[in-house]
Amino acid sequence: MTGEQTINNYLDVLSSKAPVPGGGGASALAGALGTALGEMVANLTIGKKKYAEVEGEILELLEQLKQIRAEYIRLADEDARVFAPLAKAYGLPAATDEEKAYKDAVMEERLLDASLVPIGIMELTLSLLGILKVLAEKGSRMAVSDVGVAVQYARAALLGAVMNVSINTRSMKNREKAAELNAHAEQMIAEGTGQADTIYSQVLTALKF
Amino acid sequence: MTGEQTINNYLDVLSSKAPVPGGGGASALAGALGTALGEMVANLTIGKKKYAEVEGEILELLEQLKQIRAEYIRLADEDARVFAPLAKAYGLPAATDEEKAYKDAVMEERLLDASLVPIGIMELTLSLLGILKVLAEKGSRMAVSDVGVAVQYARAALLGAVMNVSINTRSMKNREKAAELNAHAEQMIAEGTGQADTIYSQVLTALKF
């Protein structure tokens, strides 16, 4: 499980040719790191007189961030979990028409499973960005640079995950479903990178005093 | 030490209001994660007949990546190490001219130390991007999406670290030194983000077959 490994162990296995973790799991981890930085900013805002007016809202966002982080870690594990059945499906025999039909059907299911994990990472990242936007505006000014780092992690999660959508959808026979997933992913990239770049600019402006 | 913690522990401490790790250490970790993904691509390229021609070059890059990863982890620890002396300097008394002069002198040193860590992260990231560029062109096609994820991590390391340069240089009395460090950082942002975006585009093109 991703969360229980030491950072050095995780990096060692990631760097090896072991099939998992790969870019998908690493994208989920980028999201978890960005979320933890968002939580830090919320924690540094709560309990400060200067920010008493927004405390209720920040407390609520903190609860959401905790759930988002747990979900990223779950998706990192899920990304590893769906890999083996997909690899196994690739290895199915396809010598006869019957074998080919069976392999196609299994592959289709496994490819869909493997696409839905990075789609989930992307959806979660849009939620994260919505919260980081509020933290950039209302969170402690002492920690605004950390919102900036969080946003860059979120952006990396998004642009890392999208490639893991397309490497799976491109092999799907159901082109309509593939096109639907790709369009959803593209729309999330447009929205999410736009939002990330806007928040980062706000942070840079806030840093120039 | 950063590397010895479990991922969940690291995320828990990062998310708390504990002074370290913060955005600086998290930026170094982003670099380490991008580097490990680069190593994975190298490891998936080495020993394959199809890539025999580039094997010598890839082996050399792999050795460099290992050193870069160790250096990122060292910088993550270093970022935490320089924080306490800086926080202590902020707390020095400044009631008399003598105290003020002493505080200014100590602050100046500590701010420089704290600026040089993210500068180091940025310099290291330019080296990483140079290697990822080669891996995007010559590494295993099976793993090209992982180069894309690595590039996004490198970009996050760069844009995360730069804010930790400016939050320290802006308090420096030696404005000439501050301007020099800021200019160096800005130049690395221009070069590094340009390179990251170019490599990512190459990866996206390679994925469309």
Side-chain angles (χ1 to χ4, degrees):
Chain A
M1 307 291 278
T2 306
E4 277 83 56
Q5 290 175 70
T6 67
I7 287 179
N8 278 340
N9 278 354
Y10 180 86
L11 290 169
D12 284 344
V13 185
L14 182 64
S15 71
S16 75
K17 52 182 172 183
V20 292
S27 300
L29 183 56
L33 283 156
T35 307
L37 282 162
E39 289 172 67
M40 178 177 94
V41 177
N43 279 317
L44 288 168
T45 307
I46 293 162
K48 295 278 162 68
K49 232 190 231 167
K50 193 173 169 189
Y51 303 103
E53 233 175 74
V54 296
E55 178 150 327
E57 185 179 358
I58 302 288
L59 274 165
E60 214 167 279
L61 296 179
L62 179 60
E63 281 316 303
Q64 291 174 31
L65 287 169
K66 284 179 188 171
Q67 286 170 30
I68 289 173
R69 170 146 67 100
E71 181 65 8
Y72 272 125
I73 295 294
R74 194 192 67 75
L75 285 166
D77 290 336
E78 180 75 359
D79 192 72
R81 205 191 55 75
V82 299
F83 185 82
L86 176 60
K88 208 175 149 190
Y90 269 110
L92 284 173
T96 68
D97 283 356
E98 208 173 41
E99 282 178 349
K100 206 183 162 308
Y102 177 73
K103 180 176 180 171
D104 282 354
V106 174
M107 280 290 299
E108 197 70 6
E109 261 184 59
R110 300 296 176 259
L111 286 167
L112 183 60
D113 289 346
S115 306
L116 291 178
V117 180
I119 288 274
I121 295 168
M122 295 178 78
E123 288 171 343
L124 202 58
T125 304
L126 288 194
S127 302
L128 170 59
L129 284 165
I131 296 173
L132 293 178
K133 185 180 177 348
V134 182
L135 289 175
E137 285 161 13
K138 303 181 181 174
S140 169
R141 293 302 86 188
M142 298 282 288
V144 72
S145 70
D146 299 303
V147 179
V149 180
V151 162
Q152 293 304 329
Y153 260 121
R155 196 179 186 282
L158 206 56
L159 288 164
V162 70
M163 291 178 298
N164 290 278
V165 175
S166 57
I167 58 178
N168 287 300
T169 57
R170 72 183 179 186
S171 302
M172 286 171 63
K173 300 274 178 205
N174 184 343
R175 297 314 302 157
E176 205 178 319
K177 185 71 190 169
E180 185 196 304
L181 292 170
N182 290 340
H184 181 34
E186 283 307 315
Q187 191 274 325
M188 288 193 282
I189 287 292
E191 186 182 335
T193 55
Q195 191 155 24
D197 294 345
T198 303
I199 304 169
Y200 189 72
S201 293
Q202 286 172 343
V203 168
L204 290 186
T205 305
L207 284 175
K208 281 188 189 104
F209 65 76
Chain B
M1 305 294 276
T2 306
E4 277 83 56
Q5 290 176 69
T6 68
I7 286 179
N8 278 340
N9 278 355
Y10 180 86
L11 289 169
D12 284 343
V13 186
L14 183 62
S15 71
S16 75
K17 53 182 172 182
V20 293
S27 300
L29 183 56
L33 283 155
T35 307
L37 283 161
E39 289 172 68
M40 179 176 93
V41 177
N43 279 317
L44 288 166
T45 307
I46 292 162
K48 295 280 162 65
K49 232 191 231 167
K50 195 175 168 187
Y51 303 104
E53 232 175 75
V54 294
E55 179 151 326
E57 185 178 359
I58 302 287
L59 274 166
E60 215 168 279
L61 296 180
L62 179 59
E63 281 316 302
Q64 290 174 31
L65 287 169
K66 284 179 189 171
Q67 286 171 30
I68 289 173
R69 170 146 67 101
E71 181 65 7
Y72 272 125
I73 295 295
R74 193 191 67 75
L75 284 166
D77 291 336
E78 180 75 0
D79 192 72
R81 204 190 55 74
V82 298
F83 185 82
L86 176 59
K88 208 175 149 193
Y90 270 110
L92 283 173
T96 67
D97 282 356
E98 207 173 41
E99 281 177 351
K100 207 181 162 308
Y102 177 73
K103 179 176 182 171
D104 281 354
V106 174
M107 280 292 298
E108 197 70 6
E109 260 185 62
R110 300 297 176 259
L111 287 166
L112 182 60
D113 287 348
S115 307
L116 291 178
V117 179
I119 287 275
I121 295 169
M122 296 180 77
E123 288 170 343
L124 201 57
T125 304
L126 288 194
S127 302
L128 170 60
L129 284 165
I131 296 174
L132 293 178
K133 184 179 179 344
V134 181
L135 289 174
E137 286 161 11
K138 303 183 181 174
S140 168
R141 292 303 87 187
M142 300 281 289
V144 73
S145 70
D146 298 303
V147 180
V149 181
V151 162
Q152 292 304 330
Y153 260 121
R155 197 179 185 283
L158 208 54
L159 288 164
V162 70
M163 291 179 298
N164 291 277
V165 175
S166 56
I167 57 178
N168 288 299
T169 56
R170 71 183 179 186
S171 303
M172 285 170 64
K173 299 276 179 204
N174 184 344
R175 296 316 302 158
E176 204 179 320
K177 185 71 190 168
E180 183 197 306
L181 291 170
N182 290 340
H184 180 35
E186 283 308 315
Q187 191 275 326
M188 288 192 283
I189 287 293
E191 186 183 335
T193 56
Q195 190 155 25
D197 294 346
T198 302
I199 304 169
Y200 189 72
S201 293
Q202 286 172 343
V203 167
L204 290 185
T205 304
L207 284 175
K208 281 187 190 106
F209 64 78

